[in-house]
Amino acid sequence: MKTDIILSGVGGQGILSIAATIAIAALDNELYIKQSEVHGMSQRGGAVQSHLRISNKPIASDLIPLGESDLIISVEPMEGLRYIPYLSSAGWLVTNTKPFINIDNYPDKNELMSTITSFKNHIALDADKISRELQSPRSSNIVMLGAASPFIKIPYESFEEGIKKIFGRKGEEVVRLNIDALKAGREFAEKAIHNDAG
Amino acid sequence: MEKLLLLGDEAVAQGAIDGGMSGMYAYPGTPSTEIMEYVQKSRIAKERNIHRRWSTNEKTAMEAALGMSYAGKRAMIAMKHVGLNVAADVFINSAITGVNGGMVIAVADDPSMHSSQNEQDSRFYGKFAQIPVLEPSNQQEAYDMAYESFDLSEKFGVPVLIRLTTRLSHSRSGVKTSALKEENKITFPEDPIQFVLLPFNARKRYQILLDKQSGFKETSEESKYNIYYDGEDKSIGIITSGIAYNYLMENYPGRICPHPVLKIGQYPLPYSKVEKIDKECDKLLIIEEGYPFIEEMLRGFLDKENRVMGRLDGTLQRAGELNPNIVAAALGKVNGENIKIPEIVANRPPQFCPGCAHKDVYDALNETMKEYGSQKVFSDIGCYTLGALPPYNAIHSCVDMGASITMAKGAADAGVKHVVAVIGDSTFTHSGMTALLDAVLENSPITVVISDNSTIAMTGGQESAATGHLEKICEGVGVQSDHIRVVTPLRRYHDEIVQVLKEEIEYEGISVVIPRRECVQTAASKRKAEKAGKAKLKTV
């Protein structure tokens, strides 16, 4: 059993809190983990990525080889496409549709969406909108994690446990909001997969 | 025994704490910053009051650590690869003085220059200083090596270097910890002149260092970090080290390589193991992250048979970091076709944060310099270096910490008028103060802009040694007080800043302009912390 995940976004969007939640959930299941992050210069509004590998066997490389990632989780629609060469033929692209525009030559939104939907295995959702509707605008990351959770070979409850551990010191209310966000993302993905299958 | 999820950097820090370290000394620099930051957050470090404040630069850090070692205690110094250039003087000489308490230098190299101006390989420094070098390939080894390194340092009485690279420094994995060791007590060196490198004693100490070399070699031969894995296919033998070992093994499902593999984790190279793989195999493939360090040693000058393959013969790329796919190609494996990046994906380079004060500084400076001509602004290392990129294109150099001021002086010496240096507050105290003194001594007609955001922003907002001291330092160094001008870099003061810059650039002597406004990132995290503090008070 292994799940190789690329997380992507723009510096400051907080992809590392998604990685941390998955890592805690993986540890709870006594799995091996390697998670490579980007620190330093590129964090300043630039493209950032993290390689997260979980497995029931020891993991060799800290970086995922091209074409072997099972999943791309992107908190920004263009950034997920940047790492497409890493995705395996059966892999899933799970992406937020809310663009982060801090460059002049940002692509046309319709063209961007049609590129995303041209991949058969994709889940595209406006996590910012969903988190706002849940009165928890800061939880869009966790909505994304929820949407990606069906493709990570870890029981759903472990993600809830992970959230409790990470947000616990911020109080029960924050934990509840994030668990709701996780659930909303999960439900969106399950519906999308179901519609696709139907 | 506890199992923690740690970055490579954090594993080194935890290993050093558990290994009985009494002081961590460092200046922030990607990818090494998290070593000190971890110690600063550590409960044990707090309880033991392990030294954990940032130093002004890497040289002062290592000198303080050597002082702690002199007093018999264990000390670690952490820095990025180019930081070791700054500390090179004390580093090389500390191998000759030797140590009393264990002293370990953790250096994080940055191949592919993710956040650096070069990709120099610190293993050469270890060889240059003629001391043992440890090179972990995973987080557990990073922990174990740091934990054991003080013993190694004390056994031989020399400093030990631990070499990390970006992908290990910034990759997280599970680490099993060992029992917490006691700190050393204060003891002075047995020989009262051990640390006196006057020529008569330096010659004696250098001979002692040379005499220790055979011991280093023997320890390498027996080291558990230098492992020979046998393999049936002896057409090629593979020598690999550090994180490159992981990329090699990624290419073999079940993690069994058909070729003999010699994994190096401790230098000097273990001679008999290298000899064995050389004898048994037709050719050797050397896979290492960084410069072709091992490869050059094995290839030699007159290697006409070309039995050694690696970065020097084009089997692997000469520059840049490795990854599993690059190593696969070197092993003769065919990488499959992958989906291409869609053409609509645009580059997204790093850029200034919204509201950043440096932007206001560059807006004003660009407007001012219109009058004086382009390519006269030298700069330095920090967030403000992004001013070299569009839309600003405001600066024309970034070489090493502090170089902006001295390069500006040199250009003025050459006869260029209206020369400006842009430097950050922390870079200024790191290595700009002596440069400023040079300019003061000759009353060089340059204007030094110290863009003061009151933090070390680029590496994540560490405490800046300059905060609260800048004007006094400049005055103390000898800049006339009426040519030390402080402005507030905000849109609404734009015209005023332009006016001040203009006056000082036209002044034919050394002047300093200090635009001062806190980094928006540190200001935001302070507000957040205050809010959390208040919320806590309420619940109490």
Side-chain angles (χ1 to χ4, degrees):
Chain A
M1 190 295 287
K2 66 110 185 169
T3 309
D4 285 338
I5 307 165
I6 301 268
L7 292 141
S8 65
V10 180
Q13 282 194 306
I15 59 168
L16 295 183
S17 61
I18 303 179
T21 313
I22 301 173
I24 286 180
L27 269 192
D28 271 358
N29 287 274
E30 290 179 9
L31 298 169
Y32 291 94
I33 306 163
K34 280 201 173 177
Q35 184 221 329
S36 172
E37 329 179 328
V38 178
H39 295 215
M41 189 148 209
S42 47
Q43 273 184 306
R44 300 272 171 257
V48 292
Q49 49 152 333
S50 170
H51 291 224
L52 176 57
R53 316 188 76 181
I54 49 185
S55 174
N56 59 356
K57 296 195 189 95
I59 300 158
S61 170
D62 302 70
L63 298 176
I64 300 168
L66 291 168
E68 288 190 23
S69 186
D70 304 290
L71 181 61
I72 294 174
I73 307 175
S74 186
V75 298
E76 205 281 345
M78 184 181 77
E79 291 307 321
L81 296 176
R82 195 185 300 283
Y83 306 101
I84 281 289
Y86 285 96
L87 200 61
S88 77
S89 50
W92 281 79
L93 169 64
V94 179
T95 183
N96 192 359
T97 57
K98 173 82 179 163
F100 187 102
I101 303 174
N102 63 349
I103 47 173
D104 294 336
N105 55 341
Y106 195 89
D108 174 71
K109 198 180 172 197
N110 292 328
E111 221 181 308
L112 190 59
M113 283 316 295
S114 66
T115 309
I116 289 168
T117 51
S118 72
F119 293 100
K120 186 175 165 283
N121 291 344
H122 77 270
I123 305 275
L125 66 163
D126 188 338
D128 290 57
K129 188 167 162 238
I130 294 172
S131 62
R132 270 199 314 275
E133 283 165 5
L134 293 169
Q135 310 295 326
S136 181
R138 281 187 177 179
S139 304
S140 72
N141 278 349
I142 302 301
V143 173
M144 288 309 304
L145 173 59
S149 63
F151 311 107
I152 307 171
K153 296 175 190 103
I154 292 177
Y156 180 74
E157 298 71 38
S158 299
F159 294 112
E160 290 187 336
E161 289 304 311
I163 285 171
K164 281 178 197 162
K165 280 190 186 155
I166 285 189
F167 298 103
R169 61 190 175 85
K170 293 187 177 169
E172 275 176 31
E173 179 65 6
V174 176
V175 169
R176 187 189 61 79
L177 287 170
N178 280 292
I179 284 179
D180 288 351
L182 183 77
K183 197 171 156 213
R186 175 81 174 204
E187 281 170 358
F188 185 98
E190 279 174 344
K191 222 179 274 172
I193 300 166
H194 180 76
N195 288 345
D196 215 34
Chain B
M1 194 169 59
E2 212 181 341
K3 193 162 185 183
L4 304 169
L5 187 61
L6 298 177
L7 293 175
D9 277 355
E10 296 172 339
V12 167
Q14 183 68 51
I17 293 168
D18 291 343
M21 170 181 73
S22 298
M24 174 67 85
Y25 294 87
Y27 183 81
T30 313
S32 71
T33 311
E34 295 78 8
I35 301 174
M36 174 62 106
E37 287 189 325
Y38 186 85
V39 177
Q40 290 178 336
K41 286 178 203 147
S42 155
R43 183 181 50 81
I44 303 167
K46 198 175 173 191
E47 281 169 11
R48 290 191 161 189
N49 198 22
I50 292 173
H51 178 276
R52 55 193 185 283
R53 264 193 82 165
W54 294 106
S55 302
T56 310
N57 66 36
E58 293 85 355
K59 176 176 179 284
T60 64
M62 202 181 295
E63 288 157 351
L66 188 63
M68 184 171 269
S69 161
Y70 178 94
K73 296 205 174 188
R74 295 180 159 187
M76 180 177 271
I77 313 101
M79 63 190 69
K80 68 183 295 174
H81 56 342
V82 287
L84 191 47
N85 298 336
V86 177
D89 204 357
V90 54
F91 173 69
I92 302 292
N93 290 321
S94 68
I96 298 172
T97 60
V99 302
N100 184 21
M103 181 169 110
V104 179
I105 303 113
V107 185
D109 293 353
D110 188 18
S112 276
M113 306 174 226
H114 295 279
S115 246
S116 305
Q117 65 272 47
N118 75 32
E119 59 173 25
Q120 69 186 51
D121 187 324
S122 298
R123 292 176 298 172
F124 282 90
Y125 261 119
K127 191 173 189 315
F128 190 29
Q130 304 179 71
I131 59 170
V133 174
L134 300 168
E135 187 181 17
S137 68
N138 58 47
Q139 294 76 359
Q140 185 66 54
E141 282 185 356
Y143 175 86
D144 293 339
M145 285 178 176
Y147 185 76
E148 296 158 12
S149 58
F150 294 110
D151 287 342
L152 184 64
S153 171
E154 285 169 9
K155 178 183 167 192
F156 287 111
V158 292
V160 169
L161 189 147
I162 298 179
R163 186 234 185 186
L164 302 160
T165 52
T166 305
R167 298 296 181 180
L168 178 58
S169 285
H170 289 167
S171 173
R172 222 176 271 282
S173 195
V175 171
K176 286 177 193 156
T177 61
S178 305
L180 178 66
K181 290 185 189 175
E182 287 298 316
E183 291 177 71
N184 287 356
K185 297 206 164 38
I186 289 178
T187 55
F188 289 100
E190 276 174 34
D191 173 4
I193 61 161
Q194 180 190 330
F195 285 77
V196 183
L197 292 186
L198 275 168
F200 81 92
N201 195 46
R203 285 190 284 269
K204 191 177 118 197
R205 293 297 318 173
Y206 184 54
Q207 190 57 49
I208 291 172
L209 176 65
L210 295 179
D211 293 343
K212 286 172 183 168
Q213 299 299 315
S214 56
F216 300 165
K217 282 180 189 149
E218 275 163 34
T219 311
S220 272
E221 293 286 355
E222 293 151 14
S223 170
K224 63 181 175 190
Y225 301 117
N226 292 330
I227 314 164
Y228 193 101
Y229 299 98
D230 210 358
E232 279 176 14
D233 183 352
K234 295 188 178 7
S235 60
I236 293 177
I238 299 169
I239 303 180
T240 183
S241 73
I243 203 149
Y245 172 75
N246 303 351
Y247 301 151
L248 171 70
M249 298 318 284
E250 182 69 26
N251 280 287
Y252 296 103
R255 310 289 173 248
I256 296 162
C257 178
H259 305 286
V261 174
L262 174 55
K263 175 175 181 265
I264 302 292
Q266 183 168 348
Y267 305 82
L269 283 180
Y271 189 83
S272 61
K273 285 175 180 159
V274 174
E275 200 177 35
K276 177 175 152 80
I277 199 166
D278 179 49
K279 266 192 191 143
E280 289 188 359
C281 301
D282 301 335
K283 286 192 154 199
L284 294 178
L285 172 62
I286 320 297
I287 309 174
E288 49 193 326
E289 185 81 308
Y291 286 9
F293 176 74
I294 299 172
E295 191 183 343
E296 269 189 348
M297 278 194 276
L298 299 191
R299 184 180 285 269
F301 201 74
L302 297 174
D303 176 24
K304 293 179 192 164
E305 284 178 73
N306 226 6
R307 287 184 61 242
V308 178
M309 302 178 293
R311 287 186 186 260
L312 291 172
D313 71 339
T315 306
L316 286 160
Q317 61 194 26
R318 178 65 179 79
E321 62 179 4
L322 303 175
N323 63 39
N325 298 97
I326 293 167
V327 172
L331 295 166
K333 290 172 177 271
V334 181
N335 282 305
E337 284 282 308
N338 304 303
I339 317 167
K340 298 264 179 303
I341 300 175
E343 275 177 20
I344 58 164
V345 175
N347 274 340
R348 198 187 308 253
Q351 49 187 281
F352 289 117
C353 303
C356 174
H358 295 314
K359 296 209 284 186
D360 296 304
V361 173
Y362 283 129
D363 281 334
L365 185 62
N366 276 350
E367 191 180 322
T368 314
M369 292 310 288
K370 270 186 207 157
E371 198 173 317
Y372 304 110
S374 62
Q375 288 184 251
K376 292 181 176 182
V377 181
F378 296 86
S379 193
D380 234 295
I381 295 171
C383 285
Y384 49 92
T385 317
L386 294 172
L389 305 177
Y392 297 100
N393 305 307
I395 58 168
H396 309 283
S397 78
C398 160
V399 182
D400 67 88
M401 299 285 279
S404 60
I405 300 175
T406 2
M407 283 183 72
K409 178 189 177 290
D413 292 345
V416 183
K417 292 198 182 345
H418 308 121
V419 181
V420 175
V422 177
I423 188 169
D425 51 308
S426 178
T427 307
F428 175 71
T429 44
H430 179 289
S431 287
M433 296 189 290
T434 46
L436 184 65
L437 181 57
D438 271 352
V440 164
L441 292 175
E442 296 187 36
N443 197 25
S444 304
I446 65 170
T447 300
V448 179
V449 177
I450 308 178
S451 195
D452 178 9
N453 58 7
S454 308
T455 188
I456 309 176
M458 180 99 273
T459 47
Q462 294 76 22
E463 179 190 10
S464 164
T467 304
H469 304 296
L470 275 183
E471 291 93 314
K472 275 189 190 160
I473 290 171
C474 295
E475 226 174 297
V477 165
V479 182
Q480 287 179 18
S481 53
D482 52 340
H483 290 288
I484 301 170
R485 311 279 296 270
V486 180
V487 295
T488 304
L490 279 170
R491 185 88 258 174
R492 61 176 180 272
Y493 302 123
H494 175 82
D495 295 344
E496 184 194 320
I497 304 166
V498 170
Q499 184 57 33
V500 167
L501 283 170
K502 219 172 152 171
E503 285 168 20
E504 296 308 329
I505 288 169
E506 284 185 7
Y507 167 63
E508 286 183 10
I510 176 77
S511 59
V512 173
V513 177
I514 306 172
R516 175 174 294 138
R517 180 156 67 83
E518 189 179 15
C519 166
V520 288
Q521 297 290 348
T522 54
S525 48
K526 268 188 204 163
R527 275 198 302 274
K528 219 170 155 186
E530 268 170 33
K531 216 172 146 190
K534 271 183 197 161
K536 214 174 178 184
L537 278 179
K538 262 184 205 167
T539 55
V540 174

